Amino acid sequence: MDKKTKKLLALLGFMTMATVSAQTDKVASDSLTLIQTKTAEILKEPAVKVNFYGFIRHDAFYDTRQNIGAGENIVPLYPRDRALDVNGVDINDAPKFHMLSVVSRAGINVKGPDVLGAKTNGILEAEFFGATEAGINELRLRHAYVTLDWEKTQLGIGQYWHPMVILDCLPNVVNYSTGSPIFALNRNPQIRLTHKLSENFKIIAAINSQRDFTPNTTPYRDSGVPSSHLQVQYKSKSFVAGLAGQYEVLRPQLSSGNPPIVNNETVKSFTALAYARVITKPLMISASAMMAQNAASLVMLGGFIGYSQPGTYDLYRTMNTRSAWIDFQQTTDKKVAFGLYAGIVKNMGADDPVEGRVATTYGVTSSWGAVSATTGGRSVDQLWRVVPRVDWSLSKTIKLRFEVENTVAKWGDAQSNGRGIGNEFNARNNRFHLATFFMF
C-alpha cells in the first residue's frame, strides 16, 4: 500500500470518528436537556403538603350498674333493665370497672394543588376502636374525606361526620358517645355541597349512605336511593344556629315468607333538627332539639318495626323519637374549666302499628336489646342524663378530663308500637370517667 493510500484511509477514519463523536455528544446533550426540562416541570408542580396530628388517649371508668354499650362499654348507652334471680335479687345491680386506650387516633391533613380553580384538601384518620365488638383494638377508618374549595362553595366527597352531627354545636362530654343516645353519632360515606349565601349564612346539601353504624347495610343499599340532607346555618363569632332535615328510604326485604313473596314495602323516615350555640366570656351554651324517625341509624333510641304474618309479605312502620339537650362550658379559664351536660330522649313508638301480626324491631338499638315490639319483651321508653365535668390543661400536649355521668333509663313492657309501657323500672347508673390525653 502506497503512502497516498495510507494517508487517504487515515483521513477517512478520522472523519468517521469525528462524526460518531459529534452524534454521541448531540444525543447526550439532548438527553440532558430533556432531563433538565422534566425536572423543571416537576419543580413547578405544587407539592402536596402533609401534616400529621392525633392523640394518645387513656380512659378509666367505673359504673355502678351493668350497661348496654359499645366498645367494651367505652360508649355507655342504656343502664340495663332489672333481671331478677330466683331470690328476687337484681343481677344487673352490680358495678363494673374498665380501662382502655382504643380511641387513641392518628390522622393526616393533606393540602394539594389547585384543581378547577379550587383549593384541594384531604383528611385521613383512623383509631383502634375496631369495626365490631369482637374487633376491639383493631384499626378502623374514621375519616377519608376530600374537599374542593372555591370562593363561596365547597364540595366534599368521602367518609366524614354525618351532616346531623353539627361540629359547631356538639355536647362537650368526656365519654366517647358524643351525647348519644340523646344526640346523633354517625360517620358515613357522603357527597356534600356547602354554599355561602352571605358572610354569615350557608346552606348544606348532602346525600349519604350507611356503613359502620348499623348491624346491616343491606336495607339501605337495596332501597336504591341515598339518604338526603338539607341544612341552613347562621354563624358569627359569638352565635351559631341552624335547621336541618334528613329524608331516608329503606327496603328491609326483597322477599318475605316461604315460599318467598316479593316484598316492595319500604321504610320512609324524616328527621328534623334545630340547634344553637352562644359564646360569651364566662360561658358557652349549646343546645339542640330533634324529632327523628328511625333514629337507630344515628345511634339514638329508636329504629323501625316489621309486622309479619304467614302467607304474605311483611309490613313496616318507623319508630318516632324526640330528644333535647343543653350543654354549659366555662370559657374564662384556660387551665381549669367546668362544664355541665343535661339531656332527655323519648321513645314515641310507631304510628299505626299493625295488630294481629308478629312485631319485630330492627336497627342497632334493637340489636343491643334496648327496644322491642314483641310480646314478652322489654323496651326503653325514655332516658335522661346529667353530666357534670371538669377539664385540666396541664400543658399544650397533656390534658385530663373527668366527669360523673348520671343516667336513668325507664324500661317497660314492650308494646306492638315499640314503646315500653307497664311494669316500669327506672334503671340508674353513675359512671365516674377519667380520660388522659397526650395530643400531637
Side-chain angles (χ1 to χ4, degrees):
M1 184 180 295
D2 57 22
K3 292 183 179 180
K4 289 184 178 180
T5 304
K6 289 181 179 179
K7 289 181 179 180
L8 180 60
L9 290 174
L11 179 61
L12 288 172
F14 176 78
M15 292 175 65
T16 301
M17 291 177 63
T19 302
V20 170
S21 177
Q23 289 176 344
T24 302
D25 290 344
K26 184 178 186 303
V27 170
S29 177
D30 289 346
S31 299
L32 182 59
T33 301
L34 181 62
I35 292 170
Q36 290 173 336
T37 302
K38 291 295 183 182
T39 303
E41 289 176 357
I42 293 172
L43 291 174
K44 288 179 182 179
E45 182 74 18
V48 174
K49 295 181 180 179
V50 178
N51 292 315
F52 291 89
Y53 70 91
F55 55 74
I56 300 168
R57 171 171 169 164
H58 179 266
D59 292 271
F61 46 93
Y62 173 87
D63 293 298
T64 59
R65 185 178 183 83
Q66 298 293 297
N67 272 278
I68 293 173
E72 296 183 1
N73 269 321
I74 198 169
V75 180
L77 296 167
Y78 308 95
R80 287 193 178 274
D81 190 16
R82 178 173 50 194
L84 302 180
D85 71 358
V86 293
N87 298 313
V89 178
D90 187 359
I91 298 170
N92 289 327
D93 186 15
K96 181 176 285 189
F97 173 79
H98 201 18
M99 293 191 294
L100 289 168
S101 297
V102 296
V103 293
S104 300
R105 81 181 56 148
I108 56 173
N109 278 319
V110 183
K111 184 177 182 181
D114 291 358
V115 173
L116 301 175
K119 297 183 183 301
T120 61
N121 296 275
I123 180 174
L124 182 63
E125 185 176 291
E127 64 186 2
F128 299 89
F129 189 80
T132 64
E133 197 69 23
I136 199 80
N137 275 345
E138 294 177 357
L139 193 69
R140 78 157 177 180
L141 177 70
R142 279 176 57 87
H143 300 305
Y145 196 60
V146 175
T147 59
L148 281 74
D149 285 276
W150 290 271
E151 184 178 353
K152 292 186 176 181
T153 304
Q154 180 190 81
L155 175 64
I157 302 173
Q159 178 163 304
Y160 193 58
W161 286 111
H162 190 286
M164 282 287 187
V165 180
I166 313 299
L167 299 185
D168 290 313
C169 188
L170 279 180
N172 197 24
V173 294
V174 175
N175 78 62
Y176 193 55
S177 70
T178 320
S180 62
I182 298 169
F183 189 56
L185 173 63
N186 197 330
R187 291 177 296 274
N188 56 358
Q190 61 189 274
I191 300 174
R192 185 190 300 200
L193 188 68
T194 304
H195 181 70
K196 292 181 180 179
L197 301 174
S198 66
E199 183 179 351
N200 300 115
F201 280 99
K202 65 181 177 181
I203 187 168
I204 301 167
I207 55 173
N208 319 298
S209 65
Q210 284 287 350
R211 183 64 201 97
D212 295 334
F213 292 82
T214 174
N216 183 13
T217 63
T218 302
Y220 299 88
R221 291 182 282 130
D222 286 346
S223 69
V225 294
S227 303
S228 55
H229 178 93
L230 186 64
Q231 182 177 159
V232 178
Q233 184 187 92
Y234 174 89
K235 183 179 180 180
S236 66
K237 290 183 179 179
S238 59
F239 183 68
V240 177
L243 296 171
Q246 172 175 291
Y247 180 71
E248 190 170 70
V249 180
L250 280 66
R251 187 180 178 184
Q253 293 181 329
L254 297 180
S255 64
S256 301
N258 189 18
I261 302 173
V262 170
N263 191 345
N264 292 312
E265 289 289 305
T266 58
V267 177
K268 299 180 177 68
S269 59
F270 178 75
T271 296
L273 169 71
Y275 61 91
R277 168 175 282 180
V278 179
I279 304 170
T280 65
K281 190 59 177 176
L283 281 177
M284 178 174 67
I285 304 173
S286 309
S288 82
M290 182 182 290
M291 296 186 295
Q293 293 183 315
N294 187 25
S297 65
L298 299 173
V299 196
M300 295 175 62
L301 181 61
F304 65 95
I305 306 172
Y307 297 91
S308 60
Q309 180 176 289
T312 186
Y313 55 81
D314 294 357
L315 302 175
Y316 301 97
R317 300 288 186 270
T318 185
M319 297 176 66
N320 301 290
T321 301
R322 304 289 183 268
S323 73
W325 60 267
I326 189 167
D327 187 278
F328 302 91
Q329 177 65 47
Q330 179 188 352
T331 59
T332 53
D333 195 322
K334 294 182 179 180
K335 293 292 184 181
V336 180
F338 294 90
L340 177 68
Y341 168 84
I344 185 170
V345 59
K346 175 71 174 176
N347 175 4
M348 304 297 294
D351 296 330
D352 302 321
V354 183
E355 303 298 341
R357 294 192 175 201
V358 176
T360 305
T361 53
Y362 295 92
V364 68
T365 315
S366 178
S367 299
W368 283 323
V371 293
S372 175
T374 306
T375 302
R378 298 280 283 174
S379 201
V380 174
D381 204 58
Q382 66 180 16
L383 176 145
W384 58 93
R385 178 174 289 168
V386 178
V387 191
R389 64 180 180 269
V390 60
D391 299 344
W392 293 277
S393 294
L394 304 181
S395 68
K396 290 183 178 180
T397 57
I398 301 293
K399 186 175 184 178
L400 302 177
R401 304 194 71 198
F402 177 74
E403 71 180 13
V404 181
E405 180 186 284
N406 305 278
T407 305
V408 178
K410 182 180 179 182
W411 292 83
D413 291 338
Q415 306 298 305
S416 62
N417 65 354
R419 290 195 61 187
I421 299 175
N423 194 24
E424 288 93 353
F425 173 74
N426 288 336
R428 182 185 302 274
N429 177 60
N430 294 317
R431 165 167 288 199
F432 301 87
H433 191 151
L434 175 65
T436 305
F437 296 80
F438 184 97
M439 292 168 286
F440 58 89

